[in-house]
Amino acid sequence: MDMHRPFGFEWGDLVAIFTLVGVVATYANMAISHTAKDSSRADFEQLAASIAKLNETMVKVNLVLESLKADRESTNRRLDKIEAITDRHDIQLARIEEHVMTKGDK
């Protein structure tokens, strides 16, 4: 191997080849980088749209849950009233039974 002509090329030719390889590598790197940025941007836009839809759905779910909570509270109040009325009727029934038994013993 001749030091003045490595690999059979002149030094200027070798510099040109390495420069060309460097330019091609830089171009490839930039192209890949731009493609990755565009892809990431599209993915983030899609993710943002999905999150917005999820937020809308969560708002609707919260409204339904609040409505169900209000319905349950109303039902519980009605049930409490019914239990109170039932207790009063049970007491009245016990008094009537006691009255009938005491009259029956006389």
Side-chain angles (χ1 to χ4, degrees):
M1 185 156 101
D2 183 14
M3 290 305 283
H4 296 288
R5 295 180 59 117
F7 303 108
F9 295 108
E10 295 289 328
W11 283 104
D13 294 338
L14 286 175
V15 169
I17 290 171
F18 284 125
T19 302
L20 179 63
V21 168
V23 168
V24 170
T26 302
Y27 177 76
N29 184 20
M30 283 181 19
I32 291 170
S33 178
H34 283 296
T35 302
K37 284 180 185 177
D38 291 341
S39 175
S40 294
R41 185 176 299 122
D43 290 343
F44 280 124
E45 288 173 357
Q46 183 179 7
L47 180 61
S50 296
I51 289 173
K53 288 179 185 177
L54 178 63
N55 284 339
E56 291 175 14
T57 302
M58 291 305 296
V59 167
K60 291 176 184 176
V61 167
N62 283 337
L63 291 174
V64 169
L65 287 175
E66 288 175 6
S67 173
L68 288 174
K69 181 181 176 186
D71 289 347
R72 182 180 171 139
E73 289 173 353
S74 172
T75 302
N76 284 341
R77 282 193 301 272
R78 287 179 40 216
L79 182 59
D80 290 341
K81 287 179 183 177
I82 291 171
E83 286 177 348
I85 292 170
T86 303
D87 289 343
R88 282 196 309 259
H89 287 184
D90 286 344
I91 291 170
Q92 287 178 350
L93 181 61
R95 286 180 183 162
I96 292 171
E97 286 177 352
E98 181 182 342
H99 182 71
V100 168
M101 286 189 171
T102 55
K103 278 201 165 195
D105 288 341
K106 292 185 180 183

